[in-house]
Structures are given as C-alpha cells and as structure tokens.
Amino acid sequence: MLILHCPCCGIDADETELTPGGTAHLKREGPGSSDEAFERYLFLRENPRGVHFERWRHAHGCGKWFHAARCTMTLEVFGTYSAQTHAPPREILDRIAERRPQERREVA
Amino acid sequence: MSRRLSQGGRLIDRSRTFHFTVDGRRYGGFAGDTLASALLASNRTLMGRSFKYHRPRGVVSSGAEEPNALFGLGTGDRFEPNQRATMTELYPDLTALSQNRWPNLEQDLGGLISRAARVLPAGFYYKTFLRPRVFWKHVYEPVIRALAGLGHAPAEKDADRYEHFNVTVDVLIVGGGVAGLQAARRAGAAGLRVLLVEQTAQWGGRAPVDGAVIEGKPADAWITGVLSELQSMPNVHMRPRTMGAGVYDHGYALVYERVTDHVSGAQGPRHRLWRVRAGRILTTTGALERPLSFAGNDLPGVMLAGAVRDYVVNHAVTPGERVLVVTNNDDAYRTALALSEAGVTVPAIVDARPGGGGALAEAARSAGLRVLTGTAIAGLSGKRHVTGAALCLQDGTGEVTEQIACDTVAMSGGWSPVVHLWSHCGGKLTWDVDEVMFRPDPNRPPTGADGRGFVEAAGAANGYLATADILGDADRAARAVTEALGRSLDDAPALQAEREETAPIRAVWTMPEKAPVKLREKMWLDYQNDVKVSDVALAAQEGFESVEHAKRYTTLGMATDQGKLSNINGLAILADTLGAEIPAVGTTTFRPPYTPISIGSVAGEARGDLFQPIRRTPLHHLHEAAGAVFEPVGHWRRPYVFPRDGETVAQAVEREILTVRHKVGLLDASTLGKIIVKGPDAGRFVDMIYTNKMSTLKVGRCRYGLMCSENGFLMDDGVVARLDEQTFLCHTTSGGADHIHAHMEDWLQTEWWDWQVYVANVTEQYAQIAVAGPKAREVLETVGGMDVSKDAMAFMDWADGALAGIPVRVFRISFSGELSYEIAVPASRGEALWQALRSAGETHGIAPYGTEALHVLRAEKGLIMIGDETDGTVVPQDLGLDWAISKKKDDFIGMRGQQRRELSRPDRWKLVGLETLSGGVLPDGAYAVEEGRNANGQRNVQGRVTSTYRSPTLGRGIAMGLVRNGPDRMGEVLDFPGTDGVVHRARIVSPAFYDPEGERQNV
Amino acid sequence: MSDVATPLADASFDGFVSVSEAPRTGMISLRGDLSDTALREVCGAVTGAAFPASRGASLDGSHGVLWMAPDEVLLLVAPGSVPDSLDRIGTALSDRHHLAVDVTDARALISVDGLGVRDVLAKLTPADVSPGNFGPGELRRTRFAQVAAAFWMPTEDSARVICFRSVATYVFDLLCHAAAPGGEVGYYR
C-alpha cells in the first residue's frame, strides 16, 4: 500500500484515496509538432527501475493533483510537491542526490 | 492410549464440560480445550488422511502449523472446510466432519493407494497421465478429481457477517508471547500508539509451558502483571485471536481477527480484517519446531515434542502412555521432564548428539530418565499408530541396536524462527550454522517510504531461544523502533530470567545420517502432500535444482500449512543431494497470508446489497413502483423499459417508442452529467476541451459538442448551454460525468494552471426529465408557468423559469428527433415535477419510456451513442461529425492526434446506415466480410455493425455500422455472417432513417 | 414544503450507535481565493461561523464553513436561505473570479450518534480517526468503502457523514452494517 503525503491538504493518503496519473513533467505537444515529438509526448515512457517522477491525484480527498518522486523498486518516497511546476524543486533533487548518489538522471 | 490427566491443565476449566460432535459421534471436553486437545483427551488420535496416499494422520502439532488434523466445521450455511483442530477453540455443540476419506476415516478406500506408494514417486502425475491423450478428459481427470482434494467447498451462501477495520498506529506488534508483551510494554511507556495482536486466545506464548522464570516469578505470574500494566495504558491496544496475516509496502499490514469463531450463536461479525498502517512493525512471532526425518515418522502418534508438552501442560492431556522422546537439541528434554512429572512413562530420550545435552539432560538423568546419545530412530512399528521404535546409531546406516515399545514419539529437529512477516515485503534471511536456522538479516530489512527498514524482528522470531535472550532482544527491538519513530526510551534495567546451560544443537536432516534409500522412502517431509525425503532427492536428480522448481515438482510445502513444517527440512535435503550449502539453495518465497484467512473477511462488507454501490436517481423509487425493468449504466440503475401487465419487454419497448413518436413520453435523464465551467477564461477552456468553437455560443443557447482524448479519439459528447458570459453548463454522457469532470480538473490543475477557470460537477443537484413527442408543448402548457412556444423558446434555446410552481431550467434539445424539452429541477423536487407532468399529460396519453426506447429513437435518427458507435479507436471524422470540428481553432485536445496519417487515411471505416434486404434485424457486432483471407486464414472484413434494432416506427430492422469508405458506397449490399450460420445481407444507406430534415423537432 | 424529497426519506437505524438522515441542510460549494478577505467575510456573513483553517470544520450549530480544498469551501446554511446566500456571495465577489453553486440536493447528510462512533467510521474509511489525529473542528474528505464521502464530528460522540445523493442508500446501509449490534470493536475507548 503506497502512502503519499498530499502537499495540497496535508493528509498522508492511502493509495486507495489516490488516482495515478503516470509520468510527470511531460511537455504537451500540440498542432504543429513533429511526429517524433508527438509520439514522445503521447506514447514513449521511460519506466525506470529506480527514481521516478509521477503524477498523483488525491481523488478521494481534496481532489488536487500533485507530484511524487519515488523509487519504483523500493517504493522509497523522496518527496511530494506541487503539480504547478515544470520540474522537480531543488529540495527534492537534493534529497534524491543524498539518498541515491550513484543514480544520475536527467529531468526534463 | 491418549487420555486426560487427572490433574493440571493451565488453560482448561474442568467445571465446564462442553459436548461436541465429530462425524456424528458425541464427545466431551472442557472449556479451554481446542478441538485437538479434546479429541486426544477422548483417545481419538486418528484425525485425517493425507492428500495423495490417503494415509492415516494424527495431530502432529498444537498450533497454526498443523497439516494433518483438518476438519470441516459447522453445518449448512455455516460450514467451512479445512479448519485446523489445533486452532479451533472448543465451544458447546461444535460440529465437525473429517475430510478426504470414503466411506469413513477408519476405513478409507483411498488408503489402498498407499500400497502403491512405491510406484507413485515425485512427478508421478506429470509422467503418467500423458498418454493416451483422450484418456485425460474422460478417465484420468474424473478419477483423480474424485480422490483428490481435502474438504468440500461450502454448498450454501455464507450466513455470517464480516467487516474491515482501519487503524493507523505507530507500532504493530505481531505475536503476544513474552517478547511481544515486553516490547509493547516498552513502546507503550514511550508513548507510542501500539497495537499488539496474538493469534491464539492466550497471551504469553510458550514461556509458561517451558517453565520460564522471569524476574523471579513463574512466567504465568509475570505475564499477568504485564497484561494489567498494558491494559492501563490508553495508547496500547491488545487483541487476542488476531493474526498478523501479511505485511505490505509502506507499513501496511493485514491483521485477521476471529471475532466469534469460538462462541456459538454469537451476534457479531464472524471475522474482522484489520487494515493497519503502522510506522513500524515488530514481529515477535516466535518459532516453529521442525520434525525429524526418520522412517515411519508420519504414523499417528508421532508428534512434535513442543506440542506434546503443550497438551500436557496446557490441557492436561497426554497423547500416550509411553512416550519416546527423540531430539537433536536440548529443548525436547523439557517435554520428557513434563511428561515424567505428569506421571507418563518416558522409556528413553534418544539424542542424536554424541555428547548429549546440557543442564536439562542432567535434570532428566536426575529424574531417572534413560538418555541415549549419538542415537537415532531406525524405524517405527505399527500400522495405524505407533507401537514401538527401532533404534540405531545416528552416524550409521540404520543397523538396529535396540527395540523400544512406545505408543507416542515426541520429536524435535530444532526450532525455526517464524520469519514470514519479516519476509513478505522483501526482508532477507541469513543462515545461522550454529543455531541451524534461517534468521532475519538485520542488515537487509524490508524498507519503507523513508528508505529505512520498517520491520523489526525480536525474540524467537529473531533467532533467540533462551528466555533471557528473548526478553533482551525485545528490549533492543522496542528501543530501535521507538527511536526510529523519533521518540526516546528510558533506560530500564535488563530483565532477569533464569537461564539453563545448554549444549549446541546438531544439524540432523535424516535419521540415521547415512540412511539407505529404503529408509528414505519412508521419511516424510510434507505430511499432508505425502512428500518424502526420497522424492526431493529424486527431483534434484531429475534436474529440478531450484528450490522453487523442486517445490512445484514434488508439491513440497504446497499443502494448507504452506510448508511451515516441511520447508527447511526439504531444502536441506535438496542442498545435500546437490552437494550445495543450505544458504545457496535458499528458501521458497514467503507470501501472505501467514495462514489461510476467510474469503468473507477479505470481502468485508462488500456482499449482497453492499457488493457494489448502486447509484439511484431522485426518481428511482417511482420507477420501482411503476414496475420498471432496470439496467446498469456504470453504477447507475436506469429504467430500461416500463412493461405493463401482459406485455413482453419487446412489446413494451415498441409501445414506448410509438408513444414518443405519436403522443408524448417522459424520460428520466437525471444521470446525464452536468458540469459548470466558470471564469474569465472559461470560453478559452471549453474551446480546448471541445472540438467545436464553443466560445462563440450565445447566452441562452445550446450547442452539441464533442470531446476527444489527446489521441484524437472521440471520448464523450453532449449539449453545452451558455448560462452567462463567463459560465457554461456542459452536459456529458451518463457514464462520463465523473471522468470528464476529472479530465477538466487535470488540464486546469496541471497544464493551464494560470487560467482563471473553476469547474463544478453538479450532476446530482438536479433531476432531469425529458418530455418528448408531438404533444410535449401541450403538456408543458397544461402544467403552466413558462412560455414554451416556438417563438419564446426555439430549438436549442434554454430558459430558467417555473413549472407547476417548481423552479426549473428548460432546454429545448432533442435526442429522439421529436419536439422535446429537457427540464432540470432540483433533485428534491424531481418527484413533484414528474408527477405534475404525468397528470398534465394524462389526456395526451403520456407514458414514461426507458433507455431501450431512447436508444431506438436515436438510432432511427442516425444519432450516435458513445460506447456503441465509439470504442476508443474512432475519431469524430469516422462518424461523419466533421461539422462539429472547428476549422478556425489553432488547437484543441485531440487536434494534433487527429492529424496523424492513420486517422486521416481515406479508407477508414466510416459510419453508415444498414438496411437488411429481408427487413429483419442484423445481429449486433456482426462483421461485413469481403473476398479473400488474411495471414491467419480468417475471412477479410470491411466493416461491422455498431447498433442494431427493430424500428417500430419504420416497421423493419435498422442498423448503423462502420464500413470501409462507407459513405462513398451508398446502395452497395454487404454480407454479414451471423453466429447462427445465416448470412444476413444489408444495403448501405444514410444513417438518418427517419425525418432526415429534422422537421419534427423543429416545430 | 411537502413535495421536497430528501435522499433518505428520514431513514434511521438503531445499532450500537444510531444512524439517521440529518435534517435537510442548505449547501453551497464555493471556489475562490480562500485568503481573500472579501471571500472570508461573506462566508462568515451567510453562515455565522468563523472561517476555518485547512481541513477545518467551523460550525455554529448546523450552519458553518467546511474546508474542502485549498480553493474550495462548503457552506452549510438554512435550506431556505440558499438563494439569498448565493446573491450575497455574488455581490460580495462580483469583481473576483469565483464559483458558487447550490449543491443542497446533490448531497446526503447522515448523522451517526453514540459512543463508538469512531469505531463505526474506522470500519469504512481508511482515514486515521484516532482522537489524537482527528476530532471536533476538523473535516476529512475520504472514501467510505467504495464511494467518496466526507465527515466531521460535532461532538466526541457524534459524526456527520456527507456523500453524493445517488449513493445515499449505499452509504446509509454501510453505516448500518458497521453499527449493527455485536459489531462493537471497543478500540476507541
């Protein structure tokens, strides 16, 4: 049972109160984008074994979307943060660097 | 014979006798007995039959690990199979049935199989029942099925009630032995929220039976003191009869409480499944004793030494008159001493260690007991029960040195920590060569959300077997957990417990060590599944070297006890055969639940009427009273049709359709999604959400719109009304309201968060009633209160007002093609309006109509239905809805997706009408075939039916379908083979079958 | 008004706690900038209750302000005063981006009363309802078995559960199942 802290209302929410929303920080590609860019936006996902940034909605709660940085292997949670951002905040990246010094990952 | 002792029994109350029935025979026992102890007290030692050979089985343990003594408990709607007699507390009038035998337990015909055991080796089924192939279905399978299986599945619906219970705690402590009690005491004193659970009805575990002395007090007295201390702590909760079933990610645990199993006729729920979120989990689950592998060790009368001691001390029951003790460690001497003290003869203690035991062995000798060291059991005599044992040297090959008469053998192969809960979520184990056990590896615990270990093992579960060590480890673990949770713990002096000097255990995997095959063929590892030492060795020789493969090939550990008794012994044999070290072979995976839990507890309240939420419209009970036939639409229940007396469903549907076409009908449209979109950027937002240009919609007007996914596929449709400059009311499909609302929130919160738009799902605020048919206007005029004339309210207008004194919003929209008004009214007034409309329409022959009539009416008009004409791969252009896709917009959700080559290919399957040449009805979902076959040899296809009905209006079958290049092929005839072998022929026509100009709705 | 139908037709059930439909209450969903003084003031004006903190339930009798989300509150008012309250909100916030809608009929409100109310809640919601974590003055939006719900506690021994109207019967039946005699847990003492 994944338990994530909702940064919007402050509740530590059970997975059963949450709805998953897939990979975070995707850039929307609209009309005029190349086929490659559109394919990347809509279909291509990294599915990493390790640190992952993802979207969650506190659907059975305050209803707000937020982001979570999580290890897909161990389910360690490095932090949750606002959905109104294009990249993970510094403190989340620092925490990941501290916890996973060997893991290098580029964030869009 | 097994019998009740005249004195003792710490758990039984001799003043309360309970009667119970097994296989129709009545027995007596005492309060505090288990079914197993009561049967032993009544000299009933035969308690089951094994799975494969139907060999006679006696109870071997006294606890959760019992593989043999399984019964069907209860009767009728309260019957449950495969219940362990050792875990079943006796209650008055308990009824049990033995299992896996025919015609009865004593004379089981299946037992004949046992004589063929020599020719039924590991993998026998895989090897034997291959040929001839036709035999499998008609010969092998029915025979095997009849003989196999343990208990029978219950035949009646379960009469009991079950529930869940959610708690969040700082520490969950699993196991109420002295380690769990001590840890709870320490964590409780630190102010943590503690939940302590114990699977049996008693606290204290084995310590009282083992004669532990703690802080100068006998264990029982110490436990009583700690219990009252814990009970005084408001932050500590204790639950007996409650088992830690499974540990999951992030400190989640399932805990299984048997609430009323031990009482007859109780009012409460039978089981309660606790869903625990714990900061840390502490497993003080103790250890399980291992059997020893010697020839004949599956005979009734062979029991675990600790279990024998339990029955003597706890229930004052001795399983026999002459109990031979056999061991490779010191603990079994306690059993010999307990028996001897109770006046039961112990002819000898057979100790496989050349040097024998420590202080306990000395005590045994002092008590006059005969101790044989370096000795083993070569074999047992007796057919259905032990009558004697042949001894040999442990280091030899089995030459008999002595015969000893006995009716019970108490064996101990050492103790294995219960590491299940530690392992469920990824905790790793380490092999301790000295203690001969797998124990939790403290460096590799399961890790939680903070990246640190969240399970801590303590006491015997952590590999400590002496009481003093167990209590010290409990203190250590309590401190570790407390500090991990950011609290501090006072330094308390270490608890003093008496400690005996012990001699080390010796690893003994077969008795004797160099036993020949003829002995190994009689050494049982898994009593329930009849897996022997020779089977595991054979599996290894045949190449099933992985422990997981060997398990499945031999079925070792696949019985209802999941290998609690057999796994370690089995993998030691596997390692020995492979010439590998035990840790290199490893264990099979430990999976929850620890022991089986009831399906009812998993379902909890979700049974019967509460199986699934049913959504009811504000008019639901009126429809029920009117005798509606309901259909599920998502979780909603909508009236499918309102049959009248003597009508079939089909007749009623036709009547309802004709009522709408010729008179006037009433539809409950309350389930339609209604979403308010408001804000300075609302126009810009609906332009992105819909394919249409919605921002140009005038206040007071309605427009039909399409919503697509980013893929370009049609997702939902509905009518949008502009309420004011900044506010739109978006109608969605019945099933789509929640999904579309979430879709809008997603885009607003995560993509366009700087746009000033709020949305609100107001679906359930309103009852919505469609009044459709040529007489609709007259009905509304009769009700009175609003000007609904053509001039005041044109097609696709909406207006606020009142009808029959009830505040309403009326939309002049039509899904039937007839003159139609959809009226939204606050849900609490829906019933009043419905009744007013019905009475006003009486003279016009008004009648309610259901969803089936609605579907036919829209199909006659060629209007699409999301989910019929769409399936997630259809773009609006496929449905001829190009007119609803704005050419003036730069962007909308799905626009880029639709520009992909595949979705703009000219030969896509597109919407057409289909008219059968016969006038009959096309089968739903039928495919139109064409010449040739595809790479898989299937007929090529060129289209399919998406909606098909009999139209009473037109008096013939009508259908819609998607056909390659369909709109360019008007008049062509296609072949639709049905599943009935008939090829239906249909002509491609326009999907607008009825009133294509829309004259009827625009009046 | 006799033709006003409440979702549960005043149903009630007596178990080890009692479960009953609460008196009809006017409800307004208001979205906007919750830090805005004008918004906070108009909420106070129409409900008579103070503005709550995050996850708060600020109540004055049966009227009050429930914090639903960082940009949303639910106002509880007398059923007859909803139109007037909406007018007052519209006037007070006319120059501010906001959304106020009547949701009186979209919801059902159920009272759960008696010792053991926390035990009943804990059977249905994953939320931590222990006294140290949740109590009077707070609101929790969560799940009850399979549907969305929210609850607050007017007192230590009572709770109000709010859910969508269409599943009112489901939630009422869930609560009755949880409160049925013999189901006492005795966990929250």
Side-chain angles (χ1 to χ4, degrees), chain B residues 539-603:
Chain B
Q541 284 156 13
E542 291 186 3
F544 296 92
E545 298 181 357
S546 147
V547 64
E548 299 284 4
H549 290 161
K551 166 183 169 173
R552 283 153 185 83
Y553 189 58
T554 61
T555 71
L556 175 85
M558 287 166 66
T560 51
D561 71 318
Q562 289 287 291
K564 287 188 179 62
L565 292 186
S566 60
N567 269 357
I568 304 293
N569 286 346
L571 68 90
I573 297 296
L574 184 64
D576 186 48
T577 311
L578 296 171
E581 296 295 319
I582 285 174
V585 171
T587 65
T588 50
T589 309
F590 294 92
R591 290 196 178 84
Y594 174 61
T595 66
I597 64 175
S598 62
I599 297 288
S601 73
V602 176

Side-chain angles (χ1 to χ4, degrees), chain B residues 389-407:
Chain B
L391 305 186
C392 63
L393 294 176
Q394 169 62 16
D395 290 331
T397 54
E399 289 80 15
V400 176
T401 55
E402 184 180 352
Q403 299 276 359
I404 290 186
C406 59
D407 61 356

Side-chain angles (χ1 to χ4, degrees), chain A residues 8-69:
Chain A
C8 306
C9 70
I11 291 285
D12 290 331
D14 255 27
E15 198 171 325
T16 59
E17 284 191 1
L18 304 171
T19 302
T23 301
H25 306 307
L26 294 176
K27 181 181 170 293
R28 180 170 186 260
E29 300 289 350
S33 57
S34 67
D35 281 354
E36 291 70 28
F38 189 68
E39 181 189 30
R40 200 162 51 239
Y41 160 55
L42 214 51
F43 301 116
L44 301 184
R45 296 292 181 268
E46 263 189 50
N47 194 19
R49 188 176 189 270
V51 179
H52 192 225
F53 299 92
E54 51 197 24
R55 291 158 18 96
W56 287 89
R57 184 181 184 217
H58 194 187
H60 281 98
C62 68
K64 297 305 179 199
W65 283 94
F66 62 89
H67 286 147

Side-chain angles (χ1 to χ4, degrees), chain B residues 162-164 166 193 234 236-237 239 268 611 613 615-616 678 745 756-759 764-765 826-829, chain C residues 3 5 31-32 97-98 102-106 119 122-123 125 128 130 146 164-166 177 180 182 185 187 189:
Chain B
Y162 302 84
E163 65 188 25
H164 294 163
N166 294 278
R193 292 193 287 173
V236 176
H237 294 274
R239 289 272 151 177
F611 174 67
R615 298 178 74 182
R616 294 171 171 85
K678 185 191 173 193
E745 282 286 355
Q756 293 205 313
V757 181
Y758 285 127
V759 298
E764 302 203 10
Q765 171 67 15
S828 61
R829 313 294 296 278
Chain C
D3 65 354
R31 297 189 65 179
H97 170 44
H98 75 283
D102 178 4
V103 291
T104 305
D105 283 357
D119 284 347
K123 291 183 186 185
T125 169
D128 179 2
S130 55
Q146 300 173 55
F164 284 110
R165 184 187 189 104
S166 66
H177 182 273
V185 186
Y187 186 79
R189 295 173 280 209

Side-chain angles (χ1 to χ4, degrees), chain B residues 319-528:
Chain B
E321 303 293 1
R322 289 175 61 82
V323 182
L324 183 72
V325 175
V326 55
T327 186
N328 65 346
N329 67 89
D330 277 15
D331 186 62
Y333 284 88
R334 291 194 176 95
T335 300
L337 288 164
L339 286 162
S340 168
E341 215 166 286
V344 179
T345 304
V346 178
I349 301 168
V350 175
D351 191 330
R353 297 170 295 180
L360 285 162
E362 279 316 308
R365 286 196 183 91
S366 304
L369 297 179
R370 185 179 171 216
V371 178
L372 301 166
T373 58
T375 308
I377 291 181
L380 297 183
S381 51
K383 281 186 80 171
R384 301 189 31 182
H385 202 89
V386 177
T387 56
L391 305 186
C392 63
L393 294 176
Q394 169 62 16
D395 290 331
T397 54
E399 289 80 15
V400 176
T401 55
E402 184 180 352
Q403 299 276 359
I404 290 186
C406 59
D407 61 356
T408 300
V409 176
M411 61 181 168
S412 178
W415 291 80
S416 299
V418 174
V419 295
H420 298 64
L421 297 178
W422 167 272
S423 304
H424 282 166
C425 211
K428 299 289 186 268
L429 305 175
T430 178
W431 178 251
D432 186 328
V433 180
D434 297 330
E435 297 289 345
V436 192
M437 60 169 65
F438 275 109
R439 60 200 305 174
D441 182 348
N443 298 317
R444 293 182 296 164
T447 58
D450 59 3
R452 295 188 294 163
F454 72 93
V455 180
E456 190 80 41
N462 200 25
Y464 295 97
L465 299 178
T467 308
D469 297 338
I470 285 171
L471 291 168
D473 195 44
D475 276 342
R476 176 206 56 78
R479 175 175 299 281
V481 161
T482 305
E483 285 170 0
L485 291 168
R487 303 285 185 99
S488 61
L489 205 58
D490 293 338
D491 281 323
L495 287 179
Q496 298 302 310
E498 275 181 20
R499 177 195 294 274
E500 290 112 356
E501 173 260 325
T502 54
I505 184 176
R506 174 185 181 183
V508 170
W509 304 119
T510 60
M511 263 188 170
E513 181 137 333
K514 300 183 192 100
V517 172
K518 73 174 172 39
L519 291 185
R520 288 171 182 253
E521 281 177 343
K522 293 177 186 159
M523 295 178 186
W524 259 253
L525 291 167
D526 187 318
Y527 299 121
Q528 194 183 103

Side-chain angles (χ1 to χ4, degrees), chain B residues 161-169 193-195 230-231 233-237 239 257 259-260 267-269 272 274-275 277 604-606 609-618 621 635-636 676-680 726-727 741 745 749 755-766 806 825-832, chain C residues 1 3-7 16 24 27 29 31-34 71-72 93 96-107 118-133 143-147 163-189:
Chain B
R161 164 170 130 232
Y162 302 84
E163 65 188 25
H164 294 163
F165 193 66
N166 294 278
V167 292
T168 304
V169 297
R193 292 193 287 173
V194 178
L195 174 61
L230 291 173
Q231 271 147 8
M233 295 183 180
N235 54 321
V236 176
H237 294 274
R239 289 272 151 177
E257 180 181 13
V259 185
T260 56
Q267 195 181 23
R272 178 179 293 136
W274 293 55
R275 304 163 68 134
R277 290 90 182 156
E605 79 295 326
D609 287 345
L610 293 174
F611 174 67
Q612 202 180 42
I614 300 295
R615 298 178 74 182
R616 294 171 171 85
T617 76
H621 67 281
H635 283 171
W636 290 106
I676 303 271
V677 177
K678 185 191 173 193
Q726 286 198 4
T727 313
H741 178 239
E745 282 286 355
Q749 289 181 37
W755 294 15
Q756 293 205 313
V757 181
Y758 285 127
V759 298
N761 184 354
V762 295
T763 301
E764 302 203 10
Q765 171 67 15
Y766 301 97
I806 300 169
V825 53
S828 61
R829 313 294 296 278
E831 188 179 334
Chain C
M1 275 176 285
D3 65 354
V4 173
T6 60
F16 67 88
R24 184 169 151 84
M27 299 186 204
S29 173
R31 297 189 65 179
D33 177 359
L34 301 192
D71 60 358
E72 183 185 353
L93 304 180
R96 289 163 165 85
H97 170 44
H98 75 283
L99 169 63
V101 284
D102 178 4
V103 291
T104 305
D105 283 357
R107 310 268 195 272
R118 288 179 192 270
D119 284 347
V120 170
L121 296 173
K123 291 183 186 185
L124 301 171
T125 169
D128 179 2
V129 297
S130 55
N133 186 66
R143 220 163 39 79
F144 264 47
Q146 300 173 55
V147 297
C163 66
F164 284 110
R165 184 187 189 104
S166 66
V167 292
T169 302
Y170 172 74
V171 173
F172 185 82
D173 290 349
L174 282 178
L175 288 164
C176 295
H177 182 273
E184 297 88 345
V185 186
Y187 186 79
Y188 294 113
R189 295 173 280 209

Side-chain angles (χ1 to χ4, degrees), chain A residues 1-4 14 16 26-36 38 41-43 55 57 63-67 70 74-78 83-86 95 99-100, chain B residues 166 248-252 275 277 447-452 688 710-711 738 741-742 745-753 890-901:
Chain A
M1 171 81 72
L2 199 62
I3 299 173
L4 296 175
D14 255 27
T16 59
L26 294 176
K27 181 181 170 293
R28 180 170 186 260
E29 300 289 350
S33 57
S34 67
D35 281 354
E36 291 70 28
F38 189 68
Y41 160 55
L42 214 51
F43 301 116
R55 291 158 18 96
R57 184 181 184 217
K64 297 305 179 199
W65 283 94
F66 62 89
H67 286 147
R70 178 177 77 98
T74 65
L75 301 200
E76 178 171 356
V77 179
F78 306 106
Q84 287 83 48
T85 177
H86 295 289
R95 168 100 180 134
R99 297 288 308 167
R100 300 292 158 90
Chain B
N166 294 278
Y248 305 84
D249 298 314
H250 286 191
Y252 182 69
R275 304 163 68 134
R277 290 90 182 156
T447 58
D450 59 3
R452 295 188 294 163
M688 288 302 290
E710 193 69 313
N711 252 311
D738 293 331
H741 178 239
E745 282 286 355
D746 190 354
W747 286 98
L748 285 172
Q749 289 181 37
T750 68
E751 187 69 27
W752 303 310
W753 62 77
D890 296 332
D891 194 3
F892 59 81
I893 295 167
M895 184 177 187
R896 176 63 184 86
Q898 288 168 3
Q899 290 168 350
R900 285 174 294 167
R901 280 193 302 278

